[in-house]
Amino acid sequence: QCNTQIILSNTYHLHVQPGGEEIKKMGGLQKATNWKGPMLTDSGGYQIFSMGHGSVCDEIKGRIRKTGFNEGNGLISISEKGARFRSYQDGSIKFLSPETSIQIQRDLGADIILVLDECT
């Protein structure tokens, strides 16, 4: 027994597979994992930031040229509205905006939700 008080789940990875709607159908993360305590979900922002190799802030602010899909990182485009990226699971195109991040976290049944913002 490790006396864990809270679990953090990753919105980006759960969005890619199996998807927030699928976890919602299972009754949320707590039911799917048999966890009785509070669940914290992140926004997915760090994963978007890392796909852009740290260039997200500069790209949003127009300081670097948008390059489109790059086989090396999966980030297709990013704007003030959100990020479009290629799933590492099946190659499908995914989109994550502040609004969709919150909806996915609600679908996951999180008790504490983090907002998607600019990673600087």
Short mmCIF file of all heavy atoms in Angstrom, two decimals, residues 52-109:
data_model
loop_
_atom_site.label_atom_id
_atom_site.label_comp_id
_atom_site.label_asym_id
_atom_site.label_seq_id
_atom_site.Cartn_x
_atom_site.Cartn_y
_atom_site.Cartn_z
N GLY A 52 5.96 20.30 -30.64
CA GLY A 52 6.51 21.42 -31.38
C GLY A 52 7.94 21.73 -30.99
O GLY A 52 8.49 22.75 -31.38
N HIS A 53 8.55 20.85 -30.22
CA HIS A 53 9.94 21.01 -29.77
C HIS A 53 10.15 22.37 -29.13
O HIS A 53 11.15 23.03 -29.36
CB HIS A 53 10.92 20.79 -30.91
CG HIS A 53 10.78 19.46 -31.56
ND1 HIS A 53 11.16 18.30 -30.94
CD2 HIS A 53 10.25 19.10 -32.75
CE1 HIS A 53 10.89 17.27 -31.74
NE2 HIS A 53 10.33 17.73 -32.83
N GLY A 54 9.17 22.79 -28.33
CA GLY A 54 9.31 24.04 -27.61
C GLY A 54 8.98 25.27 -28.41
O GLY A 54 9.16 26.38 -27.94
N SER A 55 8.47 25.12 -29.64
CA SER A 55 8.25 26.27 -30.51
C SER A 55 6.82 26.79 -30.47
O SER A 55 6.48 27.71 -31.18
CB SER A 55 8.60 25.91 -31.95
OG SER A 55 7.70 24.92 -32.42
N VAL A 56 5.96 26.21 -29.65
CA VAL A 56 4.56 26.58 -29.64
C VAL A 56 4.36 28.06 -29.37
O VAL A 56 3.63 28.74 -30.08
CB VAL A 56 3.77 25.72 -28.62
CG1 VAL A 56 2.35 26.21 -28.48
CG2 VAL A 56 3.80 24.27 -29.02
N CYS A 57 5.00 28.59 -28.35
CA CYS A 57 4.85 30.00 -28.00
C CYS A 57 5.25 30.89 -29.17
O CYS A 57 4.51 31.80 -29.55
CB CYS A 57 5.69 30.31 -26.78
SG CYS A 57 5.68 32.05 -26.32
N ASP A 58 6.40 30.63 -29.76
CA ASP A 58 6.86 31.45 -30.89
C ASP A 58 5.94 31.29 -32.09
O ASP A 58 5.66 32.25 -32.80
CB ASP A 58 8.29 31.08 -31.28
CG ASP A 58 9.30 31.58 -30.26
OD1 ASP A 58 9.00 32.59 -29.59
OD2 ASP A 58 10.36 30.97 -30.14
N GLU A 59 5.45 30.08 -32.33
CA GLU A 59 4.58 29.84 -33.47
C GLU A 59 3.25 30.58 -33.31
O GLU A 59 2.77 31.23 -34.23
CB GLU A 59 4.35 28.34 -33.68
CG GLU A 59 3.67 28.04 -34.98
CD GLU A 59 3.75 26.57 -35.35
OE1 GLU A 59 4.54 25.83 -34.76
OE2 GLU A 59 3.01 26.20 -36.27
N ILE A 60 2.66 30.49 -32.14
CA ILE A 60 1.39 31.19 -31.89
C ILE A 60 1.56 32.69 -32.07
O ILE A 60 0.71 33.36 -32.63
CB ILE A 60 0.86 30.88 -30.47
CG1 ILE A 60 0.32 29.45 -30.43
CG2 ILE A 60 -0.23 31.86 -30.06
CD1 ILE A 60 -0.10 28.99 -29.05
N LYS A 61 2.66 33.20 -31.61
CA LYS A 61 2.90 34.64 -31.67
C LYS A 61 3.45 35.09 -33.02
O LYS A 61 3.77 36.26 -33.20
CB LYS A 61 3.83 35.06 -30.53
CG LYS A 61 3.14 34.88 -29.18
CD LYS A 61 4.01 35.26 -28.03
CE LYS A 61 3.22 35.10 -26.75
NZ LYS A 61 4.00 35.43 -25.58
N GLY A 62 3.56 34.16 -33.97
CA GLY A 62 3.98 34.51 -35.32
C GLY A 62 5.46 34.81 -35.48
O GLY A 62 5.88 35.39 -36.46
N ARG A 63 6.26 34.37 -34.53
CA ARG A 63 7.70 34.65 -34.60
C ARG A 63 8.45 33.62 -35.43
O ARG A 63 9.60 33.83 -35.78
CB ARG A 63 8.29 34.72 -33.20
CG ARG A 63 7.78 35.95 -32.44
CD ARG A 63 8.53 36.17 -31.16
NE ARG A 63 8.32 35.11 -30.20
CZ ARG A 63 7.88 35.31 -28.95
NH1 ARG A 63 7.62 36.52 -28.52
NH2 ARG A 63 7.73 34.29 -28.13
N ILE A 64 7.80 32.48 -35.74
CA ILE A 64 8.41 31.50 -36.63
C ILE A 64 7.38 31.06 -37.65
O ILE A 64 6.18 31.17 -37.42
CB ILE A 64 8.97 30.27 -35.87
CG1 ILE A 64 7.85 29.52 -35.16
CG2 ILE A 64 10.07 30.66 -34.94
CD1 ILE A 64 8.30 28.20 -34.56
N ARG A 65 7.84 30.55 -38.77
CA ARG A 65 6.94 30.12 -39.84
C ARG A 65 6.30 28.78 -39.49
O ARG A 65 6.96 27.87 -39.00
CB ARG A 65 7.76 29.97 -41.12
CG ARG A 65 6.91 29.81 -42.35
CD ARG A 65 7.80 29.78 -43.60
NE ARG A 65 7.34 28.70 -44.42
CZ ARG A 65 7.97 27.54 -44.59
NH1 ARG A 65 9.11 27.33 -44.05
NH2 ARG A 65 7.46 26.62 -45.36
N LYS A 66 5.02 28.65 -39.73
CA LYS A 66 4.34 27.37 -39.53
C LYS A 66 4.80 26.42 -40.62
O LYS A 66 4.79 26.76 -41.79
CB LYS A 66 2.83 27.57 -39.57
CG LYS A 66 2.33 28.39 -38.41
CD LYS A 66 0.86 28.58 -38.48
CE LYS A 66 0.44 29.50 -37.35
NZ LYS A 66 -0.94 29.82 -37.35
N THR A 67 5.17 25.22 -40.21
CA THR A 67 5.80 24.31 -41.16
C THR A 67 4.91 23.17 -41.61
O THR A 67 5.28 22.43 -42.49
CB THR A 67 7.09 23.71 -40.54
OG1 THR A 67 6.74 23.05 -39.33
CG2 THR A 67 8.11 24.80 -40.27
N GLY A 68 3.74 22.98 -41.02
CA GLY A 68 2.90 21.86 -41.42
C GLY A 68 3.38 20.57 -40.79
O GLY A 68 4.22 20.56 -39.91
N PHE A 69 2.83 19.46 -41.25
CA PHE A 69 3.14 18.16 -40.66
C PHE A 69 4.60 17.80 -40.85
O PHE A 69 5.16 17.93 -41.91
CB PHE A 69 2.26 17.06 -41.25
CG PHE A 69 2.59 15.70 -40.74
CD1 PHE A 69 2.38 15.40 -39.40
CD2 PHE A 69 3.12 14.74 -41.55
CE1 PHE A 69 2.68 14.14 -38.90
CE2 PHE A 69 3.44 13.49 -41.06
CZ PHE A 69 3.22 13.19 -39.73
N ASN A 70 5.18 17.35 -39.79
CA ASN A 70 6.56 16.92 -39.78
C ASN A 70 6.59 15.50 -39.22
O ASN A 70 6.15 15.28 -38.11
CB ASN A 70 7.38 17.87 -38.88
CG ASN A 70 8.83 17.47 -38.79
OD1 ASN A 70 9.19 16.31 -38.97
ND2 ASN A 70 9.67 18.44 -38.50
N GLU A 71 7.08 14.56 -39.99
CA GLU A 71 7.13 13.15 -39.56
C GLU A 71 7.77 13.00 -38.19
O GLU A 71 7.43 12.12 -37.43
CB GLU A 71 7.93 12.32 -40.57
CG GLU A 71 7.23 12.10 -41.88
CD GLU A 71 6.17 11.03 -41.81
OE1 GLU A 71 6.25 10.14 -40.95
OE2 GLU A 71 5.26 11.08 -42.63
N GLY A 72 8.67 13.90 -37.84
CA GLY A 72 9.41 13.76 -36.60
C GLY A 72 8.64 14.15 -35.36
O GLY A 72 8.99 13.75 -34.27
N ASN A 73 7.56 14.97 -35.49
CA ASN A 73 6.95 15.40 -34.25
C ASN A 73 5.43 15.27 -34.18
O ASN A 73 4.89 15.36 -33.11
CB ASN A 73 7.39 16.83 -33.91
CG ASN A 73 6.90 17.85 -34.90
OD1 ASN A 73 5.90 17.65 -35.58
ND2 ASN A 73 7.58 18.97 -34.96
N GLY A 74 4.71 15.09 -35.23
CA GLY A 74 3.27 14.88 -35.19
C GLY A 74 2.43 16.13 -35.14
O GLY A 74 1.23 16.06 -35.34
N LEU A 75 3.02 17.29 -34.84
CA LEU A 75 2.27 18.53 -34.80
C LEU A 75 2.03 19.00 -36.22
O LEU A 75 2.96 19.16 -37.00
CB LEU A 75 3.04 19.59 -34.02
CG LEU A 75 2.32 20.92 -33.81
CD1 LEU A 75 1.05 20.73 -32.99
CD2 LEU A 75 3.26 21.89 -33.10
N ILE A 76 0.77 19.20 -36.58
CA ILE A 76 0.43 19.63 -37.93
C ILE A 76 0.30 21.14 -37.99
O ILE A 76 0.90 21.80 -38.81
CB ILE A 76 -0.87 18.95 -38.41
CG1 ILE A 76 -0.62 17.45 -38.53
CG2 ILE A 76 -1.33 19.53 -39.75
CD1 ILE A 76 -1.87 16.64 -38.83
N SER A 77 -0.51 21.69 -37.09
CA SER A 77 -0.65 23.15 -37.04
C SER A 77 -1.10 23.57 -35.66
O SER A 77 -1.67 22.78 -34.91
CB SER A 77 -1.67 23.63 -38.09
OG SER A 77 -2.96 23.16 -37.77
N ILE A 78 -0.83 24.81 -35.36
CA ILE A 78 -1.24 25.36 -34.08
C ILE A 78 -1.65 26.81 -34.29
O ILE A 78 -1.04 27.51 -35.11
CB ILE A 78 -0.13 25.22 -33.03
CG1 ILE A 78 -0.66 25.54 -31.64
CG2 ILE A 78 1.08 26.05 -33.37
CD1 ILE A 78 0.20 25.00 -30.53
N SER A 79 -2.71 27.22 -33.63
CA SER A 79 -3.19 28.59 -33.75
C SER A 79 -3.81 29.00 -32.42
O SER A 79 -3.83 28.21 -31.47
CB SER A 79 -4.26 28.68 -34.85
OG SER A 79 -5.45 28.03 -34.44
N GLU A 80 -4.34 30.19 -32.38
CA GLU A 80 -5.02 30.64 -31.17
C GLU A 80 -6.22 29.75 -30.84
O GLU A 80 -6.64 29.67 -29.70
CB GLU A 80 -5.49 32.09 -31.33
CG GLU A 80 -4.37 33.11 -31.36
CD GLU A 80 -3.73 33.32 -29.98
OE1 GLU A 80 -4.37 33.03 -28.95
OE2 GLU A 80 -2.58 33.79 -29.96
N LYS A 81 -6.77 29.06 -31.85
CA LYS A 81 -7.95 28.21 -31.63
C LYS A 81 -7.61 26.84 -31.07
O LYS A 81 -8.45 26.20 -30.46
CB LYS A 81 -8.74 28.06 -32.93
CG LYS A 81 -9.36 29.37 -33.37
CD LYS A 81 -10.18 29.20 -34.61
CE LYS A 81 -10.75 30.56 -34.99
NZ LYS A 81 -11.62 30.48 -36.13
N GLY A 82 -6.40 26.36 -31.31
CA GLY A 82 -6.02 25.05 -30.81
C GLY A 82 -4.92 24.42 -31.64
O GLY A 82 -4.33 25.06 -32.51
N ALA A 83 -4.69 23.14 -31.39
CA ALA A 83 -3.62 22.41 -32.08
C ALA A 83 -4.19 21.22 -32.82
O ALA A 83 -5.03 20.49 -32.31
CB ALA A 83 -2.58 21.94 -31.07
N ARG A 84 -3.73 21.04 -34.05
CA ARG A 84 -4.09 19.89 -34.87
C ARG A 84 -2.83 19.03 -34.95
O ARG A 84 -1.74 19.52 -35.24
CB ARG A 84 -4.51 20.37 -36.26
CG ARG A 84 -5.12 19.29 -37.13
CD ARG A 84 -5.80 19.87 -38.37
NE ARG A 84 -6.73 20.96 -38.09
CZ ARG A 84 -7.95 20.84 -37.55
NH1 ARG A 84 -8.40 19.65 -37.23
NH2 ARG A 84 -8.73 21.89 -37.34
N PHE A 85 -3.01 17.76 -34.66
CA PHE A 85 -1.85 16.86 -34.63
C PHE A 85 -2.25 15.48 -35.13
O PHE A 85 -3.43 15.15 -35.21
CB PHE A 85 -1.25 16.78 -33.22
CG PHE A 85 -2.22 16.32 -32.17
CD1 PHE A 85 -2.31 14.97 -31.83
CD2 PHE A 85 -3.04 17.22 -31.51
CE1 PHE A 85 -3.20 14.55 -30.86
CE2 PHE A 85 -3.93 16.80 -30.54
CZ PHE A 85 -4.02 15.47 -30.21
N ARG A 86 -1.25 14.71 -35.47
CA ARG A 86 -1.46 13.34 -35.95
C ARG A 86 -1.29 12.38 -34.78
O ARG A 86 -0.31 12.42 -34.06
CB ARG A 86 -0.46 13.02 -37.06
CG ARG A 86 -0.76 11.71 -37.78
CD ARG A 86 0.08 11.55 -39.04
NE ARG A 86 -0.05 12.63 -39.98
CZ ARG A 86 -1.04 12.78 -40.86
NH1 ARG A 86 -2.00 11.89 -40.90
NH2 ARG A 86 -1.06 13.79 -41.69
N SER A 87 -2.28 11.50 -34.61
CA SER A 87 -2.24 10.52 -33.53
C SER A 87 -1.06 9.57 -33.71
O SER A 87 -0.86 9.04 -34.80
CB SER A 87 -3.55 9.71 -33.54
OG SER A 87 -3.42 8.55 -32.74
N TYR A 88 -0.33 9.36 -32.65
CA TYR A 88 0.76 8.38 -32.70
C TYR A 88 0.19 6.96 -32.71
O TYR A 88 0.88 6.02 -33.08
CB TYR A 88 1.71 8.55 -31.50
CG TYR A 88 1.03 8.39 -30.16
CD1 TYR A 88 0.82 7.13 -29.61
CD2 TYR A 88 0.60 9.50 -29.45
CE1 TYR A 88 0.18 6.98 -28.39
CE2 TYR A 88 -0.03 9.37 -28.23
CZ TYR A 88 -0.24 8.11 -27.71
OH TYR A 88 -0.87 7.97 -26.50
N GLN A 89 -1.08 6.81 -32.35
CA GLN A 89 -1.70 5.49 -32.28
C GLN A 89 -2.08 4.96 -33.66
O GLN A 89 -1.76 3.84 -34.01
CB GLN A 89 -2.93 5.55 -31.37
CG GLN A 89 -3.63 4.24 -31.18
CD GLN A 89 -2.80 3.24 -30.39
OE1 GLN A 89 -1.98 3.61 -29.57
NE2 GLN A 89 -2.99 1.98 -30.67
N ASP A 90 -2.82 5.79 -34.43
CA ASP A 90 -3.35 5.29 -35.70
C ASP A 90 -3.18 6.26 -36.87
O ASP A 90 -3.66 6.00 -37.96
CB ASP A 90 -4.83 4.91 -35.56
CG ASP A 90 -5.70 6.11 -35.19
OD1 ASP A 90 -5.21 7.26 -35.18
OD2 ASP A 90 -6.89 5.88 -34.90
N GLY A 91 -2.50 7.39 -36.65
CA GLY A 91 -2.27 8.36 -37.73
C GLY A 91 -3.44 9.28 -38.01
O GLY A 91 -3.34 10.14 -38.88
N SER A 92 -4.55 9.12 -37.28
CA SER A 92 -5.70 10.00 -37.51
C SER A 92 -5.38 11.43 -37.06
O SER A 92 -4.48 11.65 -36.25
CB SER A 92 -6.93 9.48 -36.76
OG SER A 92 -6.72 9.53 -35.36
N ILE A 93 -6.12 12.37 -37.61
CA ILE A 93 -5.93 13.77 -37.26
C ILE A 93 -6.79 14.08 -36.03
O ILE A 93 -7.98 13.77 -36.00
CB ILE A 93 -6.33 14.71 -38.42
CG1 ILE A 93 -5.56 14.36 -39.69
CG2 ILE A 93 -6.13 16.17 -38.02
CD1 ILE A 93 -4.07 14.47 -39.58
N LYS A 94 -6.19 14.68 -35.03
CA LYS A 94 -6.86 15.07 -33.79
C LYS A 94 -6.75 16.58 -33.62
O LYS A 94 -5.85 17.21 -34.17
CB LYS A 94 -6.21 14.40 -32.58
CG LYS A 94 -6.17 12.89 -32.63
CD LYS A 94 -7.50 12.31 -32.30
CE LYS A 94 -7.42 10.79 -32.19
NZ LYS A 94 -8.71 10.19 -31.95
N PHE A 95 -7.68 17.14 -32.86
CA PHE A 95 -7.66 18.57 -32.58
C PHE A 95 -7.89 18.77 -31.09
O PHE A 95 -8.73 18.11 -30.49
CB PHE A 95 -8.76 19.28 -33.37
CG PHE A 95 -8.79 20.77 -33.16
CD1 PHE A 95 -7.82 21.58 -33.71
CD2 PHE A 95 -9.78 21.35 -32.39
CE1 PHE A 95 -7.82 22.96 -33.51
CE2 PHE A 95 -9.81 22.72 -32.18
CZ PHE A 95 -8.83 23.52 -32.75
N LEU A 96 -7.12 19.65 -30.50
CA LEU A 96 -7.28 19.97 -29.09
C LEU A 96 -7.29 21.48 -28.93
O LEU A 96 -6.34 22.16 -29.30
CB LEU A 96 -6.13 19.35 -28.27
CG LEU A 96 -6.32 19.29 -26.77
CD1 LEU A 96 -7.53 18.44 -26.40
CD2 LEU A 96 -5.08 18.74 -26.09
N SER A 97 -8.40 21.99 -28.44
CA SER A 97 -8.55 23.42 -28.15
C SER A 97 -8.80 23.54 -26.65
O SER A 97 -9.04 22.54 -25.96
CB SER A 97 -9.75 23.98 -28.92
OG SER A 97 -10.96 23.46 -28.40
N PRO A 98 -8.79 24.76 -26.13
CA PRO A 98 -9.13 24.91 -24.71
C PRO A 98 -10.50 24.30 -24.39
O PRO A 98 -10.66 23.63 -23.37
CB PRO A 98 -9.13 26.42 -24.50
CG PRO A 98 -8.13 26.92 -25.50
CD PRO A 98 -8.34 26.04 -26.70
N GLU A 99 -11.46 24.50 -25.28
CA GLU A 99 -12.81 23.97 -25.05
C GLU A 99 -12.85 22.44 -25.14
O GLU A 99 -13.49 21.79 -24.30
CB GLU A 99 -13.79 24.57 -26.06
CG GLU A 99 -13.98 26.06 -25.95
CD GLU A 99 -12.90 26.91 -26.64
OE1 GLU A 99 -12.03 26.35 -27.35
OE2 GLU A 99 -12.92 28.14 -26.45
N THR A 100 -12.19 21.86 -26.14
CA THR A 100 -12.22 20.40 -26.25
C THR A 100 -11.42 19.74 -25.11
O THR A 100 -11.80 18.68 -24.65
CB THR A 100 -11.71 19.88 -27.61
OG1 THR A 100 -10.38 20.34 -27.83
CG2 THR A 100 -12.61 20.32 -28.75
N SER A 101 -10.36 20.39 -24.66
CA SER A 101 -9.60 19.87 -23.53
C SER A 101 -10.49 19.77 -22.29
O SER A 101 -10.51 18.74 -21.61
CB SER A 101 -8.39 20.75 -23.24
OG SER A 101 -7.72 20.32 -22.07
N ILE A 102 -11.26 20.82 -22.01
CA ILE A 102 -12.17 20.82 -20.86
C ILE A 102 -13.24 19.74 -21.05
O ILE A 102 -13.55 18.99 -20.11
CB ILE A 102 -12.82 22.20 -20.66
CG1 ILE A 102 -11.76 23.24 -20.26
CG2 ILE A 102 -13.96 22.14 -19.64
CD1 ILE A 102 -11.12 23.02 -18.91
N GLN A 103 -13.80 19.63 -22.26
CA GLN A 103 -14.84 18.62 -22.49
C GLN A 103 -14.31 17.21 -22.30
O GLN A 103 -14.97 16.36 -21.71
CB GLN A 103 -15.46 18.77 -23.88
CG GLN A 103 -16.64 17.84 -24.11
CD GLN A 103 -17.75 18.03 -23.09
OE1 GLN A 103 -18.25 19.13 -22.93
NE2 GLN A 103 -18.12 16.96 -22.39
N ILE A 104 -13.12 16.95 -22.81
CA ILE A 104 -12.52 15.63 -22.65
C ILE A 104 -12.33 15.33 -21.16
O ILE A 104 -12.66 14.24 -20.68
CB ILE A 104 -11.19 15.52 -23.40
CG1 ILE A 104 -11.43 15.58 -24.91
CG2 ILE A 104 -10.44 14.23 -23.03
CD1 ILE A 104 -10.17 15.89 -25.71
N GLN A 105 -11.84 16.31 -20.41
CA GLN A 105 -11.62 16.12 -18.98
C GLN A 105 -12.94 15.89 -18.24
O GLN A 105 -13.01 15.08 -17.31
CB GLN A 105 -10.86 17.31 -18.39
CG GLN A 105 -9.42 17.37 -18.91
CD GLN A 105 -8.70 18.59 -18.42
OE1 GLN A 105 -8.26 18.63 -17.27
NE2 GLN A 105 -8.58 19.62 -19.27
N ARG A 106 -13.99 16.57 -18.67
CA ARG A 106 -15.32 16.32 -18.09
C ARG A 106 -15.77 14.90 -18.42
O ARG A 106 -16.32 14.20 -17.57
CB ARG A 106 -16.34 17.32 -18.62
CG ARG A 106 -16.20 18.68 -18.01
CD ARG A 106 -17.24 19.63 -18.57
NE ARG A 106 -17.18 20.91 -17.91
CZ ARG A 106 -17.71 22.01 -18.39
NH1 ARG A 106 -18.37 22.00 -19.54
NH2 ARG A 106 -17.61 23.14 -17.72
N ASP A 107 -15.56 14.48 -19.67
CA ASP A 107 -15.92 13.12 -20.07
C ASP A 107 -15.15 12.08 -19.26
O ASP A 107 -15.67 11.01 -18.94
CB ASP A 107 -15.67 12.89 -21.56
CG ASP A 107 -16.65 13.64 -22.46
OD1 ASP A 107 -17.70 14.12 -21.96
OD2 ASP A 107 -16.36 13.75 -23.66
N LEU A 108 -13.91 12.41 -18.92
CA LEU A 108 -13.09 11.49 -18.12
C LEU A 108 -13.60 11.40 -16.69
O LEU A 108 -13.28 10.46 -15.97
CB LEU A 108 -11.62 11.93 -18.13
CG LEU A 108 -10.91 11.92 -19.48
CD1 LEU A 108 -9.51 12.53 -19.36
CD2 LEU A 108 -10.85 10.53 -20.07
N GLY A 109 -14.39 12.39 -16.26
CA GLY A 109 -14.93 12.40 -14.91
C GLY A 109 -13.97 12.94 -13.88
O GLY A 109 -14.06 12.59 -12.69
#
